[in-house]
């Protein structure tokens, strides 16, 4: 009978050999006693990165606020004050003179055409001459209106040109035509000419006595 | 041809008084405790008993799986899966219905069957596409003894029918009683003993054949 079990024993021994060569079983955590006990909670993930980033952002914000309060804002206020002062100068130039051109050209040689207009300028700074026009001079089909400032010797000291539309716009706004004077003191004659169909027709002229302001102070 | 039940039982006792389960080497679950007692303790929440239960059942299920023809490479996973499934439903185990290992055997057999089907489909796919059958994983690293043991198991089991293989695995090597084996296989206890007897003879003959040196005649 024991001989009959020889085959079974051989199979059992071979199976034991095979089983011994298999990986050693590890009790799964699901079954292990260690797994039965509640596992300690893992430590919370370190959040140093967001914290550091927030701290850096806060520091930057504080530094920027300090920079604005101590440096930038005073500068801005200074610049704003300068701009405001410059604007006011531009709005109310101290060297603005207003003249009205007569309805007929002056006879410069005979001295007719009314008295000369006196224009004060401040040497070294531009002066604005506001010239009022007569609406009747306006010709819609005119090609151009030309202002020419001539000296006593007949030479040109300044020349300004504007179209009929520009002249009409000045008239509708009931304002004069601003001319920027860059001349020295002396006698001048301002001529207004209208160009129509290729021909120039003088509309008016005015003698100007350009004088330098003596005290240099604003009026 | 029929026998009275009393006669059949008498024959069983007379024919196999020495080769029954009583003669087989007793299985030694962890720490000498019965697996059924360990299972009861584990059901009560004893973690140490669960650990011992796992280790003891693992060894016996491994032998059964190998005796059923499972690949040694697949056996650890099969046993692990069967044990985990049993652990998850441990409250359903009733020692009055049978042994703990016998309770796990259906799950083990089902997984083995699924694994064979999967391997069969894989091999069929490879064959259809004309590719060679892959070599066993890790074969190059296996020692010669382990390979010989695997070969011996394979040859011994190859001489058995599927039913004989199941009886050998459960009844002869798995340590299950004839009654429990019969219950698992759906046959009578006398059938288990009869099949076991035939299987032992076949294993004996095959083992003798393996032990006989083969001499090649040159001339």
């Amino acid at each position: 009978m024991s001989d009959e079990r020889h085959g079974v024993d051989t199979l059992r021994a071979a199976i034991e050999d095979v089983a011994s060569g298999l990986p050693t079983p590890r009790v799964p955590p699901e079954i292990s006693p260690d797994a039965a006990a509640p596992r300690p909670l893992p430590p919370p993930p370190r959040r140093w990165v967001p914290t550091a980033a927030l701290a850096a952002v806060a520091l930057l914000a504080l530094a920027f606020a300090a920079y604005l309060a101590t440096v930038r804002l005073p500068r801005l206020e200074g610049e704003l004050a300068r701009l405001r002062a410059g604007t006011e100068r531009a709005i109310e130039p101290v060297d603005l003179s207003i003249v009205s051109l007569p309805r007929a050209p002056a006879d410069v040689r005979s001295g007719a055409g009314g008295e000369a207009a006196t224009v004060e300028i401040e040497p070294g700074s531009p002066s604005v001459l506001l010239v009022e026009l007569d609406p009747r001079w306006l010709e819609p089909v005119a090609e151009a209106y030309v202002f020419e400032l001539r000296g006593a010797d007949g030479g040109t000291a300044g020349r300004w040109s504007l179209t009929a539309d520009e002249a009409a716009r000045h008239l509708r706004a009931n304002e004069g035509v601003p001319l920027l004077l860059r001349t020295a003191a002396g006698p001048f004659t301002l001529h207004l000419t209208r160009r129509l169909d290729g021909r120039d027709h003088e509309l008016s002229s005015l003698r100007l006595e350009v004088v330098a302001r003596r005290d240099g102070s604003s009026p | 041809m029929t026998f009275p039940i009393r006669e059949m039982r008498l024959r069983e006792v007379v024919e196999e008084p020495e080769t029954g389960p009583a003669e087989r080497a007793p299985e030694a679950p962890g720490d000498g405790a019965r697996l059924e007692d360990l299972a009861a303790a584990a059901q009560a929440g004893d973690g140490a008993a669960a650990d011992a239960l796992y280790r003891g059942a693992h060894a016996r299920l491994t032998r059964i799986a190998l005796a059923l023809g499972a690949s040694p490479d697949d056996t650890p996973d099969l046993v692990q899966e069967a044990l985990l499934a049993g652990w998850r439903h441990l409250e359903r185990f009733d020692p009055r219905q049978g042994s703990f290992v016998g309770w796990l055997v259906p799950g083990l057999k089902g997984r083995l069957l699924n694994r064979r089907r999967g391997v069969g489909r894989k091999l069929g796919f490879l064959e259809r596409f004309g590719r060679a059958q892959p070599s066993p994983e890790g074969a190059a690293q296996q020692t010669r003894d382990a390979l010989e043991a695997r070969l011996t198991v394979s040859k011994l089991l190859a001489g058995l029918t599927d039913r004989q293989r199941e009886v050998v695995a459960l009844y002869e090597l798995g340590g299950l009683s004839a009654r429990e084996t019969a219950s698992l296989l759906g046959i009578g206890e006398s059938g288990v003993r009869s099949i076991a007897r035939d299987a032992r003879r076949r294993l004996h003959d095959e083992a003798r054949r393996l032990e006989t040196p083969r001499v090649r005649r040159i001339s």
Side-chain angles (χ1 to χ4, degrees):
Chain A
M1 193 65 65
S2 61
D3 186 63
E4 182 182 310
R5 296 198 60 83
H6 173 68
V8 175
D9 294 339
T10 302
L11 178 61
R12 185 195 305 274
I15 285 179
E16 292 294 341
D17 287 344
V18 173
S20 64
L22 297 179
T24 303
R26 288 184 56 194
V27 182
E30 192 175 349
I31 300 177
S32 172
D34 295 337
R39 293 183 177 179
L41 292 176
R46 300 182 64 183
R47 302 180 61 84
W48 62 270
V49 173
T51 305
L54 287 175
V57 170
L59 284 176
L60 284 175
L62 286 174
F64 185 67
Y67 164 75
L68 283 180
T70 58
V71 179
R72 186 59 183 164
L73 285 180
R75 284 186 183 176
L76 288 175
E77 288 176 354
E79 290 178 5
L80 185 60
R82 283 194 292 275
L83 284 173
R84 191 172 296 153
T87 304
E88 289 172 354
R89 279 176 60 87
I91 293 173
E92 299 177 359
V94 296
D95 305 319
L96 175 63
S97 299
I98 302 175
V99 296
S100 295
L101 290 178
R103 297 178 61 181
D107 187 352
V108 179
R109 287 173 295 180
S110 64
E115 297 180 353
T118 303
V119 176
E120 289 186 343
I121 61 171
E122 184 173 357
S125 66
S127 300
V128 175
L129 178 65
L130 199 62
V131 182
E132 293 179 340
L133 303 180
D134 190 330
R136 288 174 293 182
W137 292 334
L138 187 62
E139 177 59 53
V141 295
E143 298 171 5
Y145 293 83
V146 179
F147 293 91
E148 186 173 9
L149 187 65
R150 298 173 186 165
D153 56 354
T156 300
R159 186 181 178 89
W160 303 265
S161 176
L162 68 161
T163 64
D165 291 339
E166 291 172 339
R169 189 162 55 246
H170 286 293
L171 285 175
R172 282 196 297 270
N174 196 21
E175 63 182 16
V177 178
L179 305 180
L180 189 61
L181 296 180
R182 295 182 183 278
T183 62
F188 294 91
T189 305
L190 179 64
H191 297 265
L192 172 60
T193 305
R194 182 175 64 192
R195 180 173 298 169
L196 182 61
D197 296 331
R199 295 185 299 175
D200 291 339
H201 174 69
E202 186 172 18
L203 297 176
S204 176
S205 62
L206 176 66
R207 290 191 294 129
L208 295 178
E209 284 292 335
V210 178
V211 297
R213 183 175 293 121
R214 294 177 181 173
D215 54 1
S217 61
S218 58
Chain B
M1 183 177 183
T2 59
F3 293 94
I5 295 177
R6 182 171 298 178
E7 287 186 20
M8 289 185 66
R9 287 178 178 170
L10 184 61
R11 278 184 58 197
E12 290 168 10
V13 174
V14 170
E15 288 185 1
E16 295 184 338
E18 299 176 356
T19 57
E23 186 182 327
R24 286 180 270 129
E27 300 297 337
D31 299 331
R34 293 175 63 245
L35 292 181
E36 290 69 31
D37 297 335
L38 294 174
Q43 284 175 330
D46 187 343
D51 194 299
L53 176 67
Y54 177 87
R55 296 181 187 279
H58 189 281
R60 290 177 62 178
L61 282 181
T62 297
R63 286 195 291 270
I64 291 174
L66 291 172
L68 287 174
S71 164
D73 296 323
D74 294 338
T75 297
D77 289 343
L78 288 171
V79 173
Q80 178 93 332
E81 293 170 5
L83 281 169
L84 282 175
W87 169 258
R88 295 186 182 111
H89 303 93
L90 187 61
E91 74 280 357
R92 300 181 187 173
F93 170 65
D94 184 359
R96 294 170 298 183
Q97 303 294 327
S99 67
F100 183 71
V101 171
W103 182 62
L104 295 175
V105 163
L108 178 68
K109 286 180 60 181
R111 283 169 174 77
L112 176 59
L113 189 60
N114 290 337
R115 188 67 62 99
R116 283 175 177 166
R117 287 172 180 162
V119 171
R121 284 194 293 268
K122 183 179 179 181
L123 292 179
F125 174 82
L126 294 175
E127 186 177 1
R128 284 196 300 276
F129 285 84
R131 296 172 58 177
Q133 179 178 349
S135 60
E137 294 181 3
Q141 287 76 27
Q142 299 293 336
T143 63
R144 182 178 178 181
D145 291 343
L147 286 175
E148 286 182 352
R150 290 187 179 199
L151 191 60
T152 300
V153 172
S154 177
K155 286 183 175 179
L156 289 175
L157 294 178
L160 303 178
T161 65
D162 290 342
R163 181 63 79 189
Q164 288 173 336
R165 199 176 299 152
E166 291 174 336
V167 169
V168 168
L170 303 179
Y171 178 65
E172 293 288 349
L173 302 179
L176 302 185
S177 67
R179 175 180 297 179
E180 191 167 14
T181 302
S183 175
L184 288 171
L185 300 182
I187 58 178
E189 293 184 38
S190 60
V192 170
R193 298 181 194 280
S194 175
I195 294 171
R197 184 176 58 250
D198 292 341
R200 285 196 299 269
R201 288 172 183 165
R202 287 198 181 190
L203 287 173
H204 173 267
D205 295 342
E206 187 64 27
R208 288 296 185 207
R209 195 161 31 247
L210 291 176
E211 292 169 359
T212 303
R214 296 181 178 179
V215 180
R216 296 179 58 188
R217 187 181 297 277
I218 298 177
S219 58

